[in-house]
Amino acid sequence: MKKVMYFLVAGIFTVASCTSNEKQGQETETSTTAPVEETAPATQDANEMVISLNAGDDMKFDLSEIKVKEGQTVKLTLTHTGKMAKTAMGHNFVLLAAGVSLTDFASKAMGAQSTDYIPAGSEKDIIVHTKLLGGGESDTIEFTAPAKGSYEFLCSFPGHSALMKGTFIVE
Ligand SMILES: [Cu+2]
């Protein structure tokens, strides 16, 4: 009977120590990859929306819809979770102004390699955009949510917007 108890206790101890190791690992990882975000929860309030958007070598955004409230400060971080270079699998986030055609914009952007696929003279078509990123990079942009409505976002790297697009809803 005593032996059984010993194994039970030892078993529980092993499980407990594994769990705490995992936790420690996760915490370490979070603090080394994104030190800036440590303050994010404290500043998250009704007037601020923190969004993290990820895209990897599979050419997909992990969000197809983003919802914010009118006038909110939006802090959006795009992270390229892949390994490929930005010349082969570059990603950005481009939020288009209301009424701008995504397909028209994407075809214009295709020729704008020298400006990281943000076509010159397209300022009025774009509300905000991130840098073009390669694997392992990230960029955070901060902007005020525009007027209530539905907007489109895309990655303007050639060919990507067929899959890499979504709806940005302001309520
Ligand atoms: Cu892309």
Side-chain angles (χ1 to χ4, degrees):
M1 190 62 192
K2 265 186 184 169
K3 246 185 187 172
V4 173
M5 281 300 288
Y6 171 77
F7 282 120
L8 270 177
V9 171
I12 289 163
F13 180 75
T14 312
V15 169
S17 62
C18 276
T19 313
S20 78
N21 278 347
E22 264 168 35
K23 244 188 194 163
Q24 274 177 354
Q26 278 171 1
E27 274 162 19
T28 313
E29 208 174 280
T30 311
S31 61
T32 50
T33 51
V36 183
E37 285 196 352
E38 271 175 21
T39 55
T43 53
Q44 177 101 51
D45 57 41
N47 295 318
E48 188 176 277
M49 180 64 99
V50 177
I51 294 158
S52 58
L53 178 65
N54 302 288
D57 293 337
D58 59 352
M59 220 175 92
K60 277 177 193 161
F61 283 130
D62 67 345
L63 298 174
S64 58
E65 191 181 277
I66 295 170
K67 268 189 192 172
V68 303
K69 291 196 171 69
E70 191 174 36
Q72 251 179 347
T73 298
V74 182
K75 264 190 190 172
L76 183 146
T77 301
L78 173 65
T79 303
H80 191 318
T81 56
K83 290 200 165 83
M84 292 173 72
K86 82 171 183 181
T87 47
M89 182 56 73
H91 296 314
N92 62 9
F93 166 90
V94 180
L95 180 60
L96 296 178
V100 175
S101 156
L102 188 142
T103 44
D104 286 356
F105 182 85
S107 58
K108 252 194 286 174
M110 217 175 266
Q113 187 179 8
S114 62
T115 51
D116 281 350
Y117 306 107
I118 301 297
S122 62
E123 291 80 9
K124 63 176 190 327
D125 295 340
I126 299 173
I127 294 170
V128 70
H129 69 88
T130 66
K131 291 190 290 195
L132 185 70
L133 307 173
E137 295 177 330
S138 73
D139 187 29
T140 301
I141 50 172
E142 198 174 315
F143 59 100
T144 303
K148 277 179 195 171
S150 183
Y151 302 79
E152 288 186 293
F153 68 86
L154 73 150
C155 169
S156 68
F157 191 91
H160 286 199
S161 66
L163 288 172
M164 299 186 70
K165 62 181 170 186
T167 312
F168 186 93
I169 297 165
V170 183
E171 293 177 319

